[in-house]
Amino acid sequence: MNNFRFWSPTEFVFGKNTVAHTAQLIKKYGGAKVLIHYGGQSAVKSGLLADVENNLQNEFIEYVKLGGVQPNPVDTLVYEGIELCRKENVNFILAVGGGSVIDSAKAIASGVSYAGDFWNFFDHTVTINRALPVATVLTIPAAGSEGSDSMVITKTKGGLKRGSGSPLIRPVFSIMDPVLTFTLPANQTAYGIADMMAHVMERYFTQTKGVEVTDRLCEAVLLSVIKEGPAVIKEPENYEARANIMWAGTVAHNGMCGVGREEDWATHGLEHELSALYGVAHGAGLAVMFPAWMQYVYTSGIDRFVQFATRVWGISPTGDKKETALKGIQALKNFFSSIGLPVNFEQLGAQKADIDKLIDTLKINSGGSLGSFRKLDMADARAIYEIAAKA
Ligand code: NZQ
Ligand code: ZN
């Protein structure tokens, strides 16, 4: 096990009717003038936005609103948010929505306190050293941004989708009421499931030895998602199943599953190019790219893939490690298909003919190499896109 520091200070307030605590929590964390940031229409339609506003009004907390965050959030709204916060002297940002809204809020929070262009945080020329406090009311379990120190934004010009991060942008609190996720359609639910599983698997597939506790933690999250995932698709108002999926999404990505080990993240890198080029949901792209990545790299750590097949998917070892490993990869693919996720380019709406374009932007974003389980160059990346294209 590697040395590590783990600092995850977010206060999670989980369960039914927890939105009622929003205003008190904002006060607890020093919010005086709030920006409420939200997405397209789901929070308006469900009445959640009105509930949040009433809650703030009852506690005499001033606020301004900025909606319109789109999935795979873009820089233009972040600039608008930064301007608005400066003009209105906002000192606290409340994201009401999913990963896209939360990431846009995090980008605004770090950009407000910085005199230059916030995109410098994403081209990694400047480190975030101040940010307004961010909090969330989560409406979709998926990205794990409610407990993570990272954010992903797309630069409209050039279509570059990039991540950045800092401990300073971890939400100070996140309100998580599983009832708010009852309105999620099956496809969005499934995309979220793929994303949280991917967050675990990016950490699970490591060459670091002696990480039994985190291995078992990762497996517990995966096994729970494999059990509860189909239940939430079938019964969208099954509270216990929704609650377990919601918490799984947070545990998958607040860092706990990755402590003491080297993490991979090649598949996220490969996927972000698909979201940037086609605007597909992040989880849909991951469902296509993860099995393809696995198929390409499994011989670089066959024992770990055998462990994945046997412990996560209950496959009986055949004595032939390759065969067992491949059965595990197939089981993952079958699971994704069973909950309606795409598992190849065609089902995703991606084109083999675009692989050159994907590689061009991947090269810019990754600097030409990615991953750690097996270090990949652009020829490897191309081969993995080709597997996904023909799968
Ligand atoms: O915009 P509205 O109308 O609210 O609709 C949203 C959106 O269309 C809808 N939705 C959300 N909650 C709902 C709902 N519909 C009905 N009922 C509800 N309760 O769902 C759609 C998707 O929302 P989005 O926020 O885009 O989903 P997600 O949470 O999957 O976030 C995806 C973004 O997060 C990034 C992804 O790259 C992507 O840009 N990620 C962020 C990470 C992080 N910050 O740590 C890590 C991840 O790996 C990921 O890259
Ligand atoms: Zn993800």
Side-chain angles (χ1 to χ4, degrees), residues 221-244:
V221 178
L222 290 173
L223 285 163
S224 308
V225 173
I226 293 162
K227 176 175 177 285
E228 304 290 7
V232 291
I233 304 270
K234 212 157 78 194
E235 303 165 59
E237 302 202 1
N238 178 334
Y239 180 83
E240 300 302 341
R242 284 285 194 193
N244 278 288

Side-chain angles (χ1 to χ4, degrees), residues 73-286:
V74 291
D75 58 346
T76 43
L77 196 67
V78 174
Y79 290 116
E80 207 180 305
I82 291 170
E83 282 313 306
L84 181 63
C85 287
R86 286 181 182 151
K87 188 171 136 243
E88 298 285 342
N89 285 320
V90 164
N91 79 338
F92 193 99
I93 305 189
L94 181 69
V96 179
S100 295
V101 174
I102 301 170
D103 286 4
S104 185
K106 288 174 172 178
I108 294 169
S110 44
V112 171
S113 324
Y114 173 61
D117 183 348
F118 92 92
W119 191 255
N120 294 345
F121 302 137
F122 290 79
D123 60 23
H124 304 288
T125 51
V126 171
T127 311
I128 299 168
N129 57 24
R130 277 177 66 201
L132 296 183
V134 176
T136 85
V137 177
L138 184 67
T139 62
I140 172 171
S145 190
E146 70 280 5
S148 82
D149 60 2
S150 50
M151 55 185 170
V152 186
I153 300 290
T154 300
K155 192 179 179 65
T156 321
K157 204 169 158 202
L160 291 181
K161 183 171 181 179
R162 284 198 179 170
S164 182
S166 160
L168 297 170
I169 58 168
R170 266 192 210 269
V172 291
F173 70 80
S174 281
I175 291 178
M176 301 171 64
D177 180 346
V179 174
L180 298 177
T181 69
F182 285 2
T183 51
L184 278 171
N187 64 346
Q188 293 295 348
T189 303
Y191 300 153
I193 288 168
D195 195 15
M196 63 184 77
M197 289 178 78
H199 293 160
V200 176
M201 294 186 296
E202 295 281 17
R203 296 170 165 102
Y204 189 73
F205 290 97
T206 183
Q207 302 290 357
T208 311
K209 305 285 179 231
V211 284
E212 191 65 12
V213 173
T214 39
D215 271 3
R216 295 287 185 182
L217 195 57
C218 289
E219 289 159 6
V221 178
L222 290 173
L223 285 163
S224 308
V225 173
I226 293 162
K227 176 175 177 285
E228 304 290 7
V232 291
I233 304 270
K234 212 157 78 194
E235 303 165 59
E237 302 202 1
N238 178 334
Y239 180 83
E240 300 302 341
R242 284 285 194 193
N244 278 288
I245 286 292
M246 197 170 206
W247 189 233
T250 306
V251 177
H253 198 46
N254 81 338
M256 177 78 96
C257 288
V259 295
R261 55 168 72 211
E262 207 172 7
E263 303 181 2
D264 189 75
W265 297 101
T267 311
H268 267 67
L270 293 162
E271 193 294 311
H272 283 167
E273 304 313 328
L274 293 169
S275 295
L277 185 60
Y278 301 112
V280 294
H282 173 60
L286 287 169

Side-chain angles (χ1 to χ4, degrees), residues 301-322:
I302 191 97
D303 290 337
R304 188 143 280 273
F305 274 91
V306 169
Q307 180 178 310
F308 177 68
T310 53
R311 289 195 197 169
V312 176
W313 298 104
I315 286 160
S316 312
T318 60
D320 177 340
K321 286 184 179 181
K322 276 191 170 180

